[in-house]
Amino acid sequence: QLQLQESGPGLVKPSETLSLTCTVSGGSISSSSYYWGWIRQPPGKGLEWIGSIYYSGSTYYNPSLKSRVTISVDTSKNQFSLKLSSVTAADTAVYYCARRNLALAGTGDAFDIWGQGTMVTVSS
Amino acid sequence: DIQMTQSPSSLSASVGDRVTITCRASQSIRSYLNWYQQKPGKAPKLLIYAASSLQSGVPSRFSGSGSGTDFTLTISSLQPEDFATYYCQQSYSTPHTFGQGTKLEI
């Protein structure tokens, strides 16, 4: 059973860089059928896609965050990571990592497995 | 960006009711529409993908329909465990965007 687990600091100071890692267990991150993504949810609000990465390292980001986001992958550790620079209070959110499955039937393309999420607060 | 608009934003219903939630895209997304269920303090769970395909393990009382710009999620007979927030999401193009959510309350 594939599982994803986020890890990283729960508190980040304004203007600093938020860094999170997602560890994939129970399966390989190096599969041609999947992308690996980050999605966040501010308290009491909706979901926002941050960006995704392929095991080869190919990335694509939400334009609204692109200037501050870097997503990387370490296939040897079966992990992928998120860095968000110059954070402000508006970046306070639960951050989820998720698997984007391109191999669902028909035109299926969805985030089918999610981590439990990790709360990150931006505050001095 | 493709904007996803759900209606209603909140909905009160009772166990056994039939409920429909609507999602509208700002442009055609063909059938690249997914539905998720989220309970408080939990990660979203995929219910429906490609507009109408039921994810493995999801009860058959959930169904989805639509294509182009208009989509619906229907729960045929509400169960107590169905009270949650539901989100639609388009996977037609990046940035992948979500609806604002529909909170289903007792």
Side-chain angles (χ1 to χ4, degrees):
Chain A
Q1 180 99 4
L2 190 88
Q3 292 185 317
L4 283 70
Q5 178 68 59
E6 306 88 351
S7 59
L11 180 64
V12 181
K13 290 183 168 56
S15 79
E16 295 190 345
T17 296
L18 178 160
S19 296
L20 296 174
T21 295
C22 182
T23 300
V24 179
S25 59
S28 175
I29 202 170
S30 301
S31 169
S32 60
S33 298
Y34 312 125
Y35 276 78
W36 305 91
W38 289 97
I39 296 139
R40 70 180 182 178
Q41 185 172 37
K45 296 188 178 181
L47 299 161
E48 179 181 34
W49 172 74
I50 299 170
S52 295
I53 191 165
Y54 196 54
Y55 75 94
S56 63
S58 174
T59 56
Y60 55 107
Y61 302 132
N62 191 323
S64 68
L65 298 167
K66 187 175 183 178
S67 63
R68 298 194 291 131
V69 172
T70 302
I71 298 176
S72 58
V73 64
D74 186 336
T75 55
S76 67
K77 295 182 178 179
N78 233 29
Q79 294 177 334
F80 62 105
S81 298
L82 168 70
K83 290 189 185 299
L84 181 64
S85 64
S86 305
V87 297
T88 69
D91 295 309
T92 294
V94 175
Y95 286 76
Y96 295 101
C97 59
R99 184 180 82 173
R100 177 187 169 200
N101 189 343
L102 308 179
L104 296 169
T107 59
D109 173 357
F111 295 103
D112 66 340
I113 300 176
W114 296 62
Q116 66 183 25
T118 187
M119 180 69 200
V120 179
T121 301
V122 178
S123 175
S124 56
Chain B
D1 298 5
I2 297 175
Q3 305 303 314
M4 307 300 294
T5 304
Q6 289 181 232
S7 60
S9 295
S10 63
L11 176 59
S12 294
S14 301
V15 173
D17 284 354
R18 179 184 179 90
V19 167
T20 297
I21 298 169
T22 297
C23 179
R24 175 165 289 175
S26 60
Q27 65 184 74
S28 176
I29 57 170
R30 296 167 57 186
S31 294
Y32 289 89
L33 190 283
N34 308 309
W35 289 98
Y36 301 86
Q37 176 194 67
Q38 187 179 34
K39 296 182 179 179
K42 300 293 186 182
K45 172 188 174 183
L46 178 64
L47 299 176
I48 301 284
Y49 61 89
S52 60
S53 296
L54 194 67
Q55 172 67 340
S56 176
V58 174
S60 59
R61 62 181 180 273
F62 291 92
S63 64
S65 65
S67 66
T69 61
D70 294 320
F71 303 86
T72 59
L73 172 70
T74 299
I75 309 172
S76 60
S77 179
L78 274 174
Q79 298 301 301
E81 60 268 30
D82 299 338
F83 291 94
T85 300
Y86 293 84
Y87 293 93
C88 62
Q89 176 245 331
Q90 63 84 14
S91 56
Y92 180 76
S93 68
T94 58
H96 302 299
T97 45
F98 293 83
Q100 81 278 15
T102 295
K103 187 173 184 179
L104 181 51
E105 300 174 298
I106 299 174

